[in-house]
mmCIF file of all heavy atoms in Angstrom:
data_model
loop_
_atom_site.group_PDB
_atom_site.id
_atom_site.type_symbol
_atom_site.label_atom_id
_atom_site.label_comp_id
_atom_site.label_asym_id
_atom_site.label_seq_id
_atom_site.Cartn_x
_atom_site.Cartn_y
_atom_site.Cartn_z
ATOM 1 N N LEU A 1 3.563 2.610 -19.603
ATOM 2 C CA LEU A 1 3.003 1.538 -18.739
ATOM 3 C C LEU A 1 3.737 1.497 -17.349
ATOM 4 O O LEU A 1 3.151 1.389 -16.343
ATOM 5 C CB LEU A 1 2.986 0.255 -19.400
ATOM 6 C CG LEU A 1 2.574 -0.943 -18.588
ATOM 7 C CD1 LEU A 1 1.146 -0.775 -18.237
ATOM 8 C CD2 LEU A 1 2.811 -2.258 -19.381
ATOM 9 N N HIS A 2 5.045 1.653 -17.460
ATOM 10 C CA HIS A 2 5.881 1.677 -16.176
ATOM 11 C C HIS A 2 5.598 2.877 -15.365
ATOM 12 O O HIS A 2 5.635 2.775 -14.105
ATOM 13 C CB HIS A 2 7.325 1.528 -16.556
ATOM 14 C CG HIS A 2 7.734 0.250 -17.170
ATOM 15 N ND1 HIS A 2 8.943 0.100 -17.873
ATOM 16 C CD2 HIS A 2 7.138 -0.952 -17.278
ATOM 17 C CE1 HIS A 2 8.969 -1.109 -18.441
ATOM 18 N NE2 HIS A 2 7.841 -1.781 -17.948
ATOM 19 N N THR A 3 5.353 4.014 -15.984
ATOM 20 C CA THR A 3 5.010 5.254 -15.242
ATOM 21 C C THR A 3 3.731 5.036 -14.406
ATOM 22 O O THR A 3 3.697 5.336 -13.270
ATOM 23 C CB THR A 3 4.817 6.452 -16.199
ATOM 24 O OG1 THR A 3 5.944 6.599 -17.046
ATOM 25 C CG2 THR A 3 4.520 7.690 -15.444
ATOM 26 N N ARG A 4 2.748 4.368 -15.109
ATOM 27 C CA ARG A 4 1.526 4.116 -14.368
ATOM 28 C C ARG A 4 1.745 3.174 -13.113
ATOM 29 O O ARG A 4 1.274 3.509 -12.064
ATOM 30 C CB ARG A 4 0.507 3.558 -15.245
ATOM 31 C CG ARG A 4 -0.924 3.443 -14.733
ATOM 32 C CD ARG A 4 -1.859 2.723 -15.753
ATOM 33 N NE ARG A 4 -1.431 1.321 -15.866
ATOM 34 C CZ ARG A 4 -1.907 0.512 -16.814
ATOM 35 N NH1 ARG A 4 -2.837 1.027 -17.666
ATOM 36 N NH2 ARG A 4 -1.529 -0.789 -16.908
ATOM 37 N N GLU A 5 2.516 2.063 -13.432
ATOM 38 C CA GLU A 5 2.641 0.991 -12.422
ATOM 39 C C GLU A 5 3.511 1.532 -11.314
ATOM 40 O O GLU A 5 3.227 1.424 -10.157
ATOM 41 C CB GLU A 5 3.199 -0.243 -12.953
ATOM 42 C CG GLU A 5 2.124 -0.877 -14.071
ATOM 43 C CD GLU A 5 0.771 -1.204 -13.405
ATOM 44 O OE1 GLU A 5 0.862 -1.666 -12.203
ATOM 45 O OE2 GLU A 5 -0.241 -0.982 -14.098
ATOM 46 N N PHE A 6 4.609 2.211 -11.714
ATOM 47 C CA PHE A 6 5.575 2.745 -10.693
ATOM 48 C C PHE A 6 4.994 3.795 -9.900
ATOM 49 O O PHE A 6 5.195 3.971 -8.697
ATOM 50 C CB PHE A 6 6.931 3.157 -11.348
ATOM 51 C CG PHE A 6 7.964 3.549 -10.431
ATOM 52 C CD1 PHE A 6 8.676 2.575 -9.757
ATOM 53 C CD2 PHE A 6 8.397 4.850 -10.316
ATOM 54 C CE1 PHE A 6 9.647 2.875 -8.808
ATOM 55 C CE2 PHE A 6 9.349 5.127 -9.362
ATOM 56 C CZ PHE A 6 9.993 4.158 -8.654
ATOM 57 N N GLY A 7 4.077 4.678 -10.596
ATOM 58 C CA GLY A 7 3.464 5.768 -9.898
ATOM 59 C C GLY A 7 2.500 5.180 -8.868
ATOM 60 O O GLY A 7 2.452 5.748 -7.674
ATOM 61 N N SER A 8 1.798 4.109 -9.173
ATOM 62 C CA SER A 8 0.948 3.476 -8.162
ATOM 63 C C SER A 8 1.606 2.972 -7.021
ATOM 64 O O SER A 8 1.308 3.177 -5.908
ATOM 65 C CB SER A 8 0.151 2.376 -8.914
ATOM 66 O OG SER A 8 -0.711 1.775 -8.016
ATOM 67 N N GLN A 9 2.839 2.251 -7.294
ATOM 68 C CA GLN A 9 3.623 1.817 -6.203
ATOM 69 C C GLN A 9 4.102 2.941 -5.276
ATOM 70 O O GLN A 9 4.060 2.750 -4.100
ATOM 71 C CB GLN A 9 4.762 1.021 -6.838
ATOM 72 C CG GLN A 9 5.749 0.409 -5.769
ATOM 73 C CD GLN A 9 5.217 -0.825 -5.299
ATOM 74 O OE1 GLN A 9 4.144 -1.270 -5.495
ATOM 75 N NE2 GLN A 9 6.137 -1.555 -4.424
ATOM 76 N N ILE A 10 4.692 3.953 -5.907
ATOM 77 C CA ILE A 10 5.200 5.015 -5.091
ATOM 78 C C ILE A 10 4.154 5.802 -4.236
ATOM 79 O O ILE A 10 4.402 6.203 -3.117
ATOM 80 C CB ILE A 10 5.861 6.041 -6.042
ATOM 81 C CG1 ILE A 10 7.263 5.440 -6.557
ATOM 82 C CG2 ILE A 10 6.316 7.445 -5.251
ATOM 83 C CD1 ILE A 10 8.232 5.110 -5.500
ATOM 84 N N THR A 11 2.921 5.904 -4.872
ATOM 85 C CA THR A 11 1.892 6.458 -4.082
ATOM 86 C C THR A 11 1.595 5.822 -2.749
ATOM 87 O O THR A 11 1.484 6.486 -1.726
ATOM 88 C CB THR A 11 0.518 6.382 -4.924
ATOM 89 O OG1 THR A 11 0.729 7.026 -6.110
ATOM 90 C CG2 THR A 11 -0.589 7.094 -4.168
ATOM 91 N N ASN A 12 1.593 4.448 -2.748
ATOM 92 C CA ASN A 12 1.391 3.680 -1.503
ATOM 93 C C ASN A 12 2.591 3.675 -0.578
ATOM 94 O O ASN A 12 2.385 3.789 0.660
ATOM 95 C CB ASN A 12 1.016 2.193 -1.894
ATOM 96 C CG ASN A 12 -0.336 2.108 -2.506
ATOM 97 O OD1 ASN A 12 -1.214 2.977 -2.247
ATOM 98 N ND2 ASN A 12 -0.624 1.032 -3.135
ATOM 99 N N VAL A 13 3.815 3.870 -1.227
ATOM 100 C CA VAL A 13 4.986 4.053 -0.363
ATOM 101 C C VAL A 13 4.871 5.408 0.323
ATOM 102 O O VAL A 13 5.122 5.461 1.601
ATOM 103 C CB VAL A 13 6.245 3.999 -1.218
ATOM 104 C CG1 VAL A 13 7.438 4.450 -0.443
ATOM 105 C CG2 VAL A 13 6.474 2.543 -1.689
ATOM 106 N N LEU A 14 4.508 6.371 -0.284
ATOM 107 C CA LEU A 14 4.323 7.767 0.323
ATOM 108 C C LEU A 14 3.241 7.666 1.313
ATOM 109 O O LEU A 14 3.352 8.344 2.552
ATOM 110 C CB LEU A 14 4.040 8.799 -0.776
ATOM 111 C CG LEU A 14 5.058 9.078 -1.823
ATOM 112 C CD1 LEU A 14 4.549 9.870 -3.022
ATOM 113 C CD2 LEU A 14 6.260 9.772 -1.062
ATOM 114 N N ARG A 15 2.161 7.031 1.163
ATOM 115 C CA ARG A 15 1.107 6.926 2.186
ATOM 116 C C ARG A 15 1.593 6.247 3.392
ATOM 117 O O ARG A 15 1.305 6.716 4.512
ATOM 118 C CB ARG A 15 -0.178 6.186 1.625
ATOM 119 C CG ARG A 15 -0.943 6.923 0.511
ATOM 120 C CD ARG A 15 -1.779 6.114 -0.284
ATOM 121 N NE ARG A 15 -2.613 6.885 -1.155
ATOM 122 C CZ ARG A 15 -3.334 6.421 -2.239
ATOM 123 N NH1 ARG A 15 -3.244 5.024 -2.516
ATOM 124 N NH2 ARG A 15 -4.019 7.129 -2.988
ATOM 125 N N CYS A 16 2.301 5.218 3.232
ATOM 126 C CA CYS A 16 2.933 4.446 4.468
ATOM 127 C C CYS A 16 3.866 5.392 5.240
ATOM 128 O O CYS A 16 3.842 5.378 6.471
ATOM 129 C CB CYS A 16 3.661 3.137 3.944
ATOM 130 S SG CYS A 16 2.463 1.927 3.295
ATOM 131 N N LEU A 17 4.705 6.155 4.485
ATOM 132 C CA LEU A 17 5.627 7.028 5.160
ATOM 133 C C LEU A 17 4.773 8.208 5.909
ATOM 134 O O LEU A 17 5.174 8.510 7.008
ATOM 135 C CB LEU A 17 6.611 7.679 4.216
ATOM 136 C CG LEU A 17 7.708 6.804 3.752
ATOM 137 C CD1 LEU A 17 8.410 7.351 2.585
ATOM 138 C CD2 LEU A 17 8.668 6.321 4.855
ATOM 139 N N GLN A 18 3.831 8.634 5.165
ATOM 140 C CA GLN A 18 2.937 9.692 5.796
ATOM 141 C C GLN A 18 2.269 9.139 7.193
ATOM 142 O O GLN A 18 2.316 9.807 8.141
ATOM 143 C CB GLN A 18 1.861 10.077 4.878
ATOM 144 C CG GLN A 18 0.876 11.070 5.467
ATOM 145 C CD GLN A 18 -0.250 11.373 4.393
ATOM 146 O OE1 GLN A 18 -0.709 10.356 3.747
ATOM 147 N NE2 GLN A 18 -0.732 12.583 4.449
ATOM 148 N N LEU A 19 1.761 7.925 7.135
ATOM 149 C CA LEU A 19 1.142 7.337 8.274
ATOM 150 C C LEU A 19 2.180 7.130 9.422
ATOM 151 O O LEU A 19 1.946 7.467 10.602
ATOM 152 C CB LEU A 19 0.527 6.017 7.964
ATOM 153 C CG LEU A 19 -0.825 6.090 7.158
ATOM 154 C CD1 LEU A 19 -1.091 4.835 6.504
ATOM 155 C CD2 LEU A 19 -2.002 6.623 8.074
ATOM 156 N N GLU A 20 3.391 6.640 9.024
ATOM 157 C CA GLU A 20 4.452 6.504 10.101
ATOM 158 C C GLU A 20 4.855 7.842 10.626
ATOM 159 O O GLU A 20 5.140 7.892 11.866
ATOM 160 C CB GLU A 20 5.590 5.800 9.403
ATOM 161 C CG GLU A 20 5.338 4.339 9.117
ATOM 162 C CD GLU A 20 6.441 3.695 8.316
ATOM 163 O OE1 GLU A 20 7.278 4.376 7.693
ATOM 164 O OE2 GLU A 20 6.503 2.424 8.233
ATOM 165 N N ALA A 21 4.864 8.890 9.808
ATOM 166 C CA ALA A 21 5.302 10.203 10.345
ATOM 167 C C ALA A 21 4.262 10.651 11.289
ATOM 168 O O ALA A 21 4.555 11.707 12.126
ATOM 169 C CB ALA A 21 5.472 11.164 9.181
ATOM 170 N N HIS A 22 2.989 10.249 11.292
ATOM 171 C CA HIS A 22 1.982 10.601 12.244
ATOM 172 C C HIS A 22 1.932 9.685 13.420
ATOM 173 O O HIS A 22 0.828 9.676 14.191
ATOM 174 C CB HIS A 22 0.671 10.749 11.467
ATOM 175 C CG HIS A 22 0.525 12.027 10.714
ATOM 176 N ND1 HIS A 22 0.025 13.236 11.379
ATOM 177 C CD2 HIS A 22 0.719 12.315 9.504
ATOM 178 C CE1 HIS A 22 -0.037 14.162 10.474
ATOM 179 N NE2 HIS A 22 0.401 13.644 9.279
ATOM 180 N N GLY A 23 2.741 8.710 13.458
ATOM 181 C CA GLY A 23 2.868 7.883 14.694
ATOM 182 C C GLY A 23 2.096 6.565 14.503
ATOM 183 O O GLY A 23 1.830 5.917 15.563
ATOM 184 N N TYR A 24 1.952 6.135 13.266
ATOM 185 C CA TYR A 24 1.229 4.768 13.009
ATOM 186 C C TYR A 24 2.408 3.775 12.718
ATOM 187 O O TYR A 24 3.363 3.984 12.036
ATOM 188 C CB TYR A 24 0.338 4.929 11.912
ATOM 189 C CG TYR A 24 -0.944 5.558 12.318
ATOM 190 C CD1 TYR A 24 -1.008 7.009 12.349
ATOM 191 C CD2 TYR A 24 -2.081 4.844 12.650
ATOM 192 C CE1 TYR A 24 -2.175 7.635 12.734
ATOM 193 C CE2 TYR A 24 -3.289 5.576 12.977
ATOM 194 C CZ TYR A 24 -3.342 6.903 13.003
ATOM 195 O OH TYR A 24 -4.523 7.602 13.318
ATOM 196 N N SER A 25 2.052 2.573 13.105
ATOM 197 C CA SER A 25 2.898 1.429 12.774
ATOM 198 C C SER A 25 2.172 0.821 11.539
ATOM 199 O O SER A 25 0.945 0.606 11.631
ATOM 200 C CB SER A 25 3.031 0.328 13.851
ATOM 201 O OG SER A 25 3.486 -0.799 13.368
ATOM 202 N N VAL A 26 2.928 0.511 10.472
ATOM 203 C CA VAL A 26 2.168 0.190 9.141
ATOM 204 C C VAL A 26 2.669 -1.189 8.791
ATOM 205 O O VAL A 26 3.858 -1.506 8.829
ATOM 206 C CB VAL A 26 2.548 1.204 8.073
ATOM 207 C CG1 VAL A 26 1.988 0.764 6.788
ATOM 208 C CG2 VAL A 26 2.086 2.666 8.558
ATOM 209 N N THR A 27 1.689 -1.952 8.285
ATOM 210 C CA THR A 27 1.927 -3.313 7.660
ATOM 211 C C THR A 27 1.248 -3.314 6.344
ATOM 212 O O THR A 27 0.284 -2.855 6.209
ATOM 213 C CB THR A 27 1.375 -4.420 8.612
ATOM 214 O OG1 THR A 27 1.915 -4.373 9.857
ATOM 215 C CG2 THR A 27 1.624 -5.772 7.949
ATOM 216 N N VAL A 28 1.938 -3.811 5.321
ATOM 217 C CA VAL A 28 1.503 -3.893 4.019
ATOM 218 C C VAL A 28 1.512 -5.330 3.598
ATOM 219 O O VAL A 28 2.438 -6.050 3.721
ATOM 220 C CB VAL A 28 2.377 -3.051 2.965
ATOM 221 C CG1 VAL A 28 1.727 -3.155 1.587
ATOM 222 C CG2 VAL A 28 2.416 -1.602 3.374
ATOM 223 N N THR A 29 0.301 -5.821 3.131
ATOM 224 C CA THR A 29 0.251 -7.221 2.705
ATOM 225 C C THR A 29 -0.693 -7.340 1.549
ATOM 226 O O THR A 29 -1.312 -6.426 1.046
ATOM 227 C CB THR A 29 -0.316 -8.117 3.881
ATOM 228 O OG1 THR A 29 -0.232 -9.402 3.541
ATOM 229 C CG2 THR A 29 -1.615 -7.728 4.383
ATOM 230 N N GLU A 30 -1.025 -8.623 1.073
ATOM 231 C CA GLU A 30 -1.960 -8.822 0.048
ATOM 232 C C GLU A 30 -3.296 -8.989 0.612
ATOM 233 O O GLU A 30 -3.415 -9.658 1.751
ATOM 234 C CB GLU A 30 -1.669 -10.123 -0.780
ATOM 235 C CG GLU A 30 -0.377 -10.058 -1.652
ATOM 236 C CD GLU A 30 -0.136 -11.378 -2.342
ATOM 237 O OE1 GLU A 30 -0.914 -12.260 -2.194
ATOM 238 O OE2 GLU A 30 0.891 -11.386 -3.032
ATOM 239 N N LEU A 31 -4.307 -8.535 -0.066
ATOM 240 C CA LEU A 31 -5.669 -8.742 0.426
ATOM 241 C C LEU A 31 -6.163 -10.115 0.129
ATOM 242 O O LEU A 31 -6.602 -10.885 0.865
ATOM 243 C CB LEU A 31 -6.650 -7.685 -0.198
ATOM 244 C CG LEU A 31 -8.148 -7.836 0.074
ATOM 245 C CD1 LEU A 31 -8.364 -7.801 1.568
ATOM 246 C CD2 LEU A 31 -8.899 -6.778 -0.616
ATOM 247 N N VAL A 32 -6.068 -10.486 -1.149
ATOM 248 C CA VAL A 32 -6.488 -11.795 -1.667
ATOM 249 C C VAL A 32 -5.473 -12.187 -2.721
ATOM 250 O O VAL A 32 -4.629 -11.416 -3.085
ATOM 251 C CB VAL A 32 -7.913 -11.918 -2.228
ATOM 252 C CG1 VAL A 32 -8.956 -11.704 -1.128
ATOM 253 C CG2 VAL A 32 -8.101 -10.786 -3.288
ATOM 254 N N GLY A 33 -5.649 -13.414 -3.190
ATOM 255 C CA GLY A 33 -4.748 -13.840 -4.336
ATOM 256 C C GLY A 33 -4.979 -12.959 -5.589
ATOM 257 O O GLY A 33 -5.931 -12.360 -5.895
ATOM 258 N N TRP A 34 -3.815 -12.860 -6.333
ATOM 259 C CA TRP A 34 -3.898 -11.951 -7.534
ATOM 260 C C TRP A 34 -4.853 -12.482 -8.555
ATOM 261 O O TRP A 34 -5.300 -11.638 -9.409
ATOM 262 C CB TRP A 34 -2.435 -11.954 -8.108
ATOM 263 C CG TRP A 34 -1.473 -11.137 -7.293
ATOM 264 C CD1 TRP A 34 -0.456 -11.811 -6.567
ATOM 265 C CD2 TRP A 34 -1.401 -9.827 -7.047
ATOM 266 N NE1 TRP A 34 0.198 -10.719 -5.860
ATOM 267 C CE2 TRP A 34 -0.309 -9.509 -6.188
ATOM 268 C CE3 TRP A 34 -2.213 -8.751 -7.481
ATOM 269 C CZ2 TRP A 34 0.023 -8.235 -5.743
ATOM 270 C CZ3 TRP A 34 -1.842 -7.433 -7.019
ATOM 271 C CH2 TRP A 34 -0.800 -7.167 -6.203
ATOM 272 N N GLU A 35 -5.242 -13.728 -8.476
ATOM 273 C CA GLU A 35 -6.274 -14.122 -9.434
ATOM 274 C C GLU A 35 -7.602 -13.609 -9.062
ATOM 275 O O GLU A 35 -8.465 -13.569 -10.054
ATOM 276 C CB GLU A 35 -6.373 -15.741 -9.338
ATOM 277 C CG GLU A 35 -7.064 -16.246 -8.056
ATOM 278 C CD GLU A 35 -6.039 -16.459 -6.951
ATOM 279 O OE1 GLU A 35 -4.827 -15.907 -7.037
ATOM 280 O OE2 GLU A 35 -6.383 -17.130 -5.923
ATOM 281 N N HIS A 36 -7.850 -12.996 -8.007
ATOM 282 C CA HIS A 36 -9.105 -12.357 -7.692
ATOM 283 C C HIS A 36 -9.226 -10.893 -8.001
ATOM 284 O O HIS A 36 -10.127 -10.410 -8.351
ATOM 285 C CB HIS A 36 -9.447 -12.625 -6.201
ATOM 286 C CG HIS A 36 -9.673 -13.962 -5.898
ATOM 287 N ND1 HIS A 36 -10.764 -14.771 -6.303
ATOM 288 C CD2 HIS A 36 -8.993 -14.876 -5.006
ATOM 289 C CE1 HIS A 36 -10.730 -16.045 -5.766
ATOM 290 N NE2 HIS A 36 -9.683 -16.038 -5.099
ATOM 291 N N SER A 37 -8.015 -10.107 -7.871
ATOM 292 C CA SER A 37 -8.100 -8.778 -8.086
ATOM 293 C C SER A 37 -6.684 -8.250 -8.258
ATOM 294 O O SER A 37 -5.710 -8.752 -7.498
ATOM 295 C CB SER A 37 -8.691 -8.089 -6.948
ATOM 296 O OG SER A 37 -8.595 -6.667 -7.038
ATOM 297 N N MET A 38 -6.393 -7.422 -9.177
ATOM 298 C CA MET A 38 -5.108 -6.784 -9.381
ATOM 299 C C MET A 38 -4.911 -5.602 -8.399
ATOM 300 O O MET A 38 -3.904 -5.136 -8.189
ATOM 301 C CB MET A 38 -4.992 -6.308 -10.784
ATOM 302 C CG MET A 38 -4.885 -7.417 -11.820
ATOM 303 S SD MET A 38 -3.560 -8.594 -11.489
ATOM 304 C CE MET A 38 -2.149 -7.587 -11.816
ATOM 305 N N LYS A 39 -6.117 -5.055 -7.879
ATOM 306 C CA LYS A 39 -5.946 -4.057 -6.861
ATOM 307 C C LYS A 39 -5.977 -4.754 -5.490
ATOM 308 O O LYS A 39 -6.989 -4.820 -4.810
ATOM 309 C CB LYS A 39 -7.266 -3.109 -7.005
ATOM 310 C CG LYS A 39 -7.427 -2.581 -8.299
ATOM 311 C CD LYS A 39 -6.261 -1.722 -8.831
ATOM 312 C CE LYS A 39 -6.412 -1.210 -10.319
ATOM 313 N NZ LYS A 39 -5.233 -0.485 -10.766
ATOM 314 N N ASN A 40 -4.759 -5.070 -5.146
ATOM 315 C CA ASN A 40 -4.663 -6.106 -4.098
ATOM 316 C C ASN A 40 -3.868 -5.732 -2.947
ATOM 317 O O ASN A 40 -3.604 -6.627 -1.981
ATOM 318 C CB ASN A 40 -3.989 -7.386 -4.723
ATOM 319 C CG ASN A 40 -4.278 -8.684 -4.002
ATOM 320 O OD1 ASN A 40 -5.308 -8.822 -3.392
ATOM 321 N ND2 ASN A 40 -3.284 -9.466 -3.929
ATOM 322 N N GLU A 41 -3.418 -4.532 -2.801
ATOM 323 C CA GLU A 41 -2.505 -4.030 -1.702
ATOM 324 C C GLU A 41 -3.396 -3.667 -0.551
ATOM 325 O O GLU A 41 -4.317 -2.867 -0.603
ATOM 326 C CB GLU A 41 -1.671 -2.968 -2.187
ATOM 327 C CG GLU A 41 -0.608 -2.619 -1.159
ATOM 328 C CD GLU A 41 0.525 -1.770 -1.780
ATOM 329 O OE1 GLU A 41 0.709 -1.795 -3.123
ATOM 330 O OE2 GLU A 41 1.202 -1.090 -1.115
ATOM 331 N N LEU A 42 -3.062 -4.238 0.609
ATOM 332 C CA LEU A 42 -3.816 -3.931 1.831
ATOM 333 C C LEU A 42 -2.798 -3.252 2.790
ATOM 334 O O LEU A 42 -1.780 -3.773 3.201
ATOM 335 C CB LEU A 42 -4.379 -5.282 2.475
ATOM 336 C CG LEU A 42 -4.918 -5.093 3.924
ATOM 337 C CD1 LEU A 42 -6.168 -4.136 3.910
ATOM 338 C CD2 LEU A 42 -5.342 -6.492 4.509
ATOM 339 N N ILE A 43 -3.180 -1.977 3.277
ATOM 340 C CA ILE A 43 -2.389 -1.278 4.130
ATOM 341 C C ILE A 43 -3.135 -1.164 5.532
ATOM 342 O O ILE A 43 -4.193 -0.780 5.625
ATOM 343 C CB ILE A 43 -2.164 0.162 3.652
ATOM 344 C CG1 ILE A 43 -1.515 0.235 2.378
ATOM 345 C CG2 ILE A 43 -1.407 1.138 4.632
ATOM 346 C CD1 ILE A 43 -1.367 1.535 1.634
ATOM 347 N N LEU A 44 -2.411 -1.700 6.550
ATOM 348 C CA LEU A 44 -2.948 -1.735 7.933
ATOM 349 C C LEU A 44 -2.120 -0.802 8.770
ATOM 350 O O LEU A 44 -0.874 -0.866 8.789
ATOM 351 C CB LEU A 44 -2.825 -3.080 8.557
ATOM 352 C CG LEU A 44 -3.587 -4.209 7.649
ATOM 353 C CD1 LEU A 44 -3.182 -5.646 8.236
ATOM 354 C CD2 LEU A 44 -5.080 -4.139 7.932
ATOM 355 N N ALA A 45 -2.756 0.124 9.350
ATOM 356 C CA ALA A 45 -2.023 1.199 10.233
ATOM 357 C C ALA A 45 -2.610 1.219 11.657
ATOM 358 O O ALA A 45 -3.831 1.222 11.824
ATOM 359 C CB ALA A 45 -2.261 2.568 9.619
ATOM 360 N N ARG A 46 -1.748 1.029 12.534
ATOM 361 C CA ARG A 46 -2.120 1.103 14.075
ATOM 362 C C ARG A 46 -1.383 2.278 14.706
ATOM 363 O O ARG A 46 -0.211 2.523 14.637
ATOM 364 C CB ARG A 46 -1.513 -0.176 14.727
ATOM 365 C CG ARG A 46 -1.869 -0.190 16.177
ATOM 366 C CD ARG A 46 -1.101 -1.415 16.743
ATOM 367 N NE ARG A 46 -1.779 -2.699 16.368
ATOM 368 C CZ ARG A 46 -2.667 -3.372 16.954
ATOM 369 N NH1 ARG A 46 -3.025 -2.741 18.159
ATOM 370 N NH2 ARG A 46 -3.151 -4.284 16.546
ATOM 371 N N ARG A 47 -2.174 3.182 15.380
ATOM 372 C CA ARG A 47 -1.635 4.344 16.027
ATOM 373 C C ARG A 47 -0.877 3.852 17.197
ATOM 374 O O ARG A 47 -1.419 3.157 18.131
ATOM 375 C CB ARG A 47 -2.685 5.310 16.415
ATOM 376 C CG ARG A 47 -2.159 6.577 16.978
ATOM 377 C CD ARG A 47 -3.269 7.771 16.881
ATOM 378 N NE ARG A 47 -4.517 7.403 17.517
ATOM 379 C CZ ARG A 47 -4.867 7.556 18.729
ATOM 380 N NH1 ARG A 47 -3.884 8.011 19.588
ATOM 381 N NH2 ARG A 47 -5.993 7.223 19.217
ATOM 382 N N MET A 48 0.378 4.344 17.373
ATOM 383 C CA MET A 48 1.204 4.021 18.456
ATOM 384 C C MET A 48 1.151 5.125 19.536
ATOM 385 O O MET A 48 1.264 6.247 19.153
ATOM 386 C CB MET A 48 2.584 3.712 18.080
ATOM 387 C CG MET A 48 2.638 2.698 16.892
ATOM 388 S SD MET A 48 2.017 0.994 17.401
ATOM 389 C CE MET A 48 3.221 0.554 18.603
#
């Protein structure tokens, strides 16, 4: 279970680093409250 959850977390960390390596400023936040969805991570990337 931890492999699945930690793997999901690391996936998004790698995506953020990838975007930053391409010149994007990245913000990570919640989309909505956890009561609405467990798939709740919102990645916002702005090209600098």
Side-chain angles (χ1 to χ4, degrees):
L1 177 61
H2 294 161
T3 305
R4 185 185 69 190
E5 297 301 320
F6 189 71
S8 178
Q9 178 82 353
I10 289 298
T11 301
N12 288 338
V13 169
L14 293 169
R15 288 165 174 163
C16 291
L17 287 169
Q18 179 187 31
L19 287 164
E20 289 172 345
H22 279 276
Y24 285 80
S25 171
V26 177
T27 301
V28 182
T29 186
E30 290 181 2
L31 174 58
V32 289
W34 292 105
E35 70 274 13
H36 294 293
S37 174
M38 294 303 292
K39 308 301 180 182
N40 198 39
E41 190 165 335
L42 172 61
I43 299 173
L44 301 167
R46 172 190 295 268
R47 184 161 56 87
M48 308 301 290

